[in-house]
Amino acid sequence: MKRLFPVSGKAEVIGVTGSPGAGKSTLVEKLAGEYRRAGARVGIIAVDPTSPFSGGALLGDRIRMQTLSGDKEIYIRSMATRGQLGGLAPTTHDVVTILDAAGCDVVLIETVGVGQDEVEVARLADATALLLVPGMGDDVQTFKAGVMEIADLYVVNKTDLPGGDRLEQEVQAMLSLASRADGWRPPIVKAIATTGSGVGEVKQALDQFRCFQEQSALKEKRRRGYLRSRLLELLRRNLFEKVISERLHDGSLEQGVDDLFQHRADPYSLVERIVADALGAGG
Ligand SMILES: Nc1nc2c(ncn2[C@@H]2O[C@H](COP(=O)(O)OP(=O)(O)O)[C@@H](O)[C@H]2O)c(=O)[nH]1
Ligand SMILES: [Mg+2]
């Protein structure tokens, strides 16, 4: 990773999020086809929540994306979240870097929209598309908190089913209530992922967003924001492991629990002492 990072940073990273069954895998496959036709090398990362069914889900994704599997300019990787809070598989960031360094022009990341997940994808990605489906409980009310704010593009999928127009109007109405600080007005694209209808428009909208970002230096701002949070996250993990390995290996963790249980110590002072010891500040 140390050697790959310096030669990465060229790929366009696109997150595709939405409820399970919304058609993300189907859309990603078709979208990958669009990018291939435009001559791009494409990487696909499908992040699955770990569950008793995940084996089936991964297999399903592979089958769904099988039209791509003979293409040497496409690389598909499924990853489990391993129950990590927040969702995105811990190594997803590194896989993006690897695909980027390997010359992928576009990296598509599919994640199941479960709470904190989308926020993380939005941070990692240059652009995030949110899939909504009519009549699946995906009405605007349930999505309002949090998720809506991170979408740069809305895809109303399964418009071969009834309710697509109404859902589009709902999203439109929601978007008209608030304007984004960066001035971008997220477009709404109607699609039928299974037939590929509207997928060309999805790519066009993503291209327009990229132009908008490049003109307004928004892309730089976004990437800097992501790199800052990545740096802090790695630092947090590294320091934590350092403290654990240097200070808490010899039963002192249990000793601390004991002190807390007896109320001889409070957790705040205990943590302050442990950290100060590990950093060599001496307390
Ligand atoms: N009717 C209809 N079904 C769709 C459409 N897009 C996807 N599907 C179906 O919805 C199911 C879930 O799709 P999938 O891509 O696996 O969803 P994901 O869980 O979001 O990745 C599959 O059976 C797809 O064939 C669409 O536009 N219309
Ligand atoms: Mg899927």
Side-chain angles (χ1 to χ4, degrees):
M1 291 315 302
K2 286 175 183 170
R3 289 174 63 185
L4 287 176
F5 188 83
V7 293
S8 70
K10 296 182 200 83
E12 184 183 0
V13 184
I14 297 166
V16 175
T17 189
S19 305
K24 296 180 297 296
S25 298
T26 313
L27 180 83
V28 163
E29 175 185 12
K30 294 290 192 321
L31 196 54
E34 289 287 328
Y35 280 105
R36 285 295 299 125
R37 272 190 285 286
R41 177 180 283 185
V42 183
I44 298 173
I45 306 172
V47 183
D48 254 77
T50 307
S51 77
F53 307 109
S54 69
L58 294 179
L59 189 63
D61 279 353
R62 279 224 184 103
I63 289 164
R64 230 155 275 143
M65 294 189 188
Q66 69 188 354
T67 60
L68 305 175
S69 61
D71 189 332
K72 287 196 172 66
E73 294 297 305
I74 292 190
Y75 183 84
I76 306 173
R77 180 78 161 92
S78 295
M79 307 184 74
T81 50
R82 306 195 194 289
Q84 177 175 281
L85 203 71
L88 258 199
T91 47
T92 303
H93 306 269
D94 291 340
V95 175
V96 171
T97 301
I98 292 166
L99 292 174
D100 186 335
C104 287
D105 304 291
V106 180
V107 177
L108 303 170
I109 308 174
E110 174 192 338
T111 46
V112 170
V114 275
Q116 189 57 29
D117 231 14
E118 301 91 346
V119 182
E120 240 188 294
V121 178
R123 204 175 277 148
L124 169 64
D126 297 313
T128 301
L130 173 63
L131 258 75
L132 301 171
V133 173
M136 251 184 50
D138 278 0
D139 51 66
V140 173
Q141 293 310 316
T142 55
F143 267 104
K144 221 164 208 165
V147 187
M148 287 301 205
E149 283 102 77
I150 57 103
D152 303 306
L153 164 69
Y154 293 87
V155 180
V156 176
N157 192 35
K158 304 199 186 184
T159 47
D160 51 327
L161 306 177
D165 290 335
R166 217 197 70 185
L167 180 56
E168 184 191 19
Q169 284 159 17
E170 278 179 25
V171 177
Q172 195 77 63
M174 185 271 308
L175 288 176
S176 68
L177 293 177
S179 59
R180 280 175 38 151
D182 61 16
W184 172 250
R185 296 182 67 87
I188 307 167
V189 179
K190 287 198 282 189
I192 306 171
T194 36
T195 66
S197 164
V199 177
E201 285 83 346
V202 171
K203 181 180 175 294
Q204 270 172 29
L206 289 166
D207 288 345
Q208 277 162 14
F209 182 55
R210 196 188 57 229
C211 287
F212 174 84
Q213 280 184 309
E214 277 162 6
Q215 280 158 17
S216 57
L218 195 72
K219 189 162 176 170
E220 183 185 328
K221 195 176 164 205
R222 197 144 155 171
R223 286 206 166 175
R224 280 178 178 275
Y226 162 65
L227 291 170
R228 184 177 300 113
S229 71
R230 181 88 181 117
L231 189 58
L232 289 172
E233 175 54 33
L234 281 176
L235 190 59
R236 192 175 293 130
R237 206 188 306 165
N238 197 295
L239 283 174
F240 181 72
E241 277 160 14
K242 192 172 149 73
V243 170
I244 292 288
S245 67
E246 286 183 9
R247 286 292 137 189
L248 294 180
H249 54 87
D250 53 357
S252 55
L253 180 62
E254 276 320 302
Q255 179 60 53
V257 173
D258 228 44
D259 290 343
L260 294 182
F261 183 72
Q262 304 287 348
H263 287 256
R264 282 191 298 255
D266 69 274
Y268 309 99
S269 308
L270 202 53
V271 164
E272 274 175 16
R273 204 171 68 226
I274 292 165
V275 171
D277 278 358
L279 293 180

